[in-house]
Amino acid sequence: GNSVTQMEGPVTLSEEAFLTINCTYTATGYPSLFWYVQYPGEGLQLLLKATKADDKGSNKGFEATYRKETTSFHLEKGSVQVSDSAVYFCALTSSGGYNKLIFGAGTRLAVHP
Amino acid sequence: EAQVTQNPRYLITVTGKKLTVTCSQNMNHEYMSWYRQDPGLGLRQIYYSMNVEVTDKGDVPEGYKVSRKEKRNFPLILESPSPNQTSLYFCASSRGRQRLGNTYEQFFGPGTRLTVL
């Protein structure tokens, strides 16, 4: 079945450091890939998405590229801020016509001044 | 403001006492679903609805019921809650059914933290 694997956290960085959160997936067909962010005490917000191979999603300085050959969708940001501290979820929806999101376990990011 | 609302936000209850968590969206979305979030497991889908009077099971439906009598509302019902249903619950909605190459953003509510003693 479909699944998503994320690197375990927590990830602790200093402000302005480079961020990478690894995400790999297993899926049949042509899934769409997503990164969601959950700030403390809030629901999930869509951060970025990519719907086909080699697409790059980007938003708020974050980027991720849909790599079909390595089944990966790693999240990157060149310079993190304290306000980026949150839990990040990698997710996919299958190409089967349903909207169900399959989530990874989540990675907690803590950025210190 | 476009949003998904859930009530209550926090609930502590006892085993066996029926409860309902409400979910409402004001975006005229066809698709709604419920997820539960547990540490180390991410979010898992409980039930979903493609439209009014159309519901189906997700990955972890045991112990839950849903109904979709109106397009905007999608309540989650726990008829006899048990401690293993202690979790953080999220309702989500989106515009329509995903098709190849075309995805619709799913909007999430703020969550309901449920504790069953």
Side-chain angles (χ1 to χ4, degrees), chain B residues 75-87:
Chain B
L76 179 70
I77 303 156
L78 285 72
E79 298 246 335
S80 184
S82 62
N84 65 12
Q85 293 177 298
T86 292
S87 187

Side-chain angles (χ1 to χ4, degrees), chain A residues 15-52:
Chain A
E15 208 165 22
E16 299 183 4
F18 185 85
L19 169 70
T20 299
I21 300 178
N22 291 336
C23 171
T24 58
Y25 67 90
T26 301
T28 55
Y30 305 95
S32 294
L33 303 174
F34 306 83
W35 277 100
Y36 280 83
V37 59
Q38 183 180 32
Y39 298 103
E42 297 184 12
L44 279 74
Q45 302 174 24
L46 178 64
L47 181 59
L48 53 85
K49 70 177 184 183
T51 59
K52 60 183 187 297

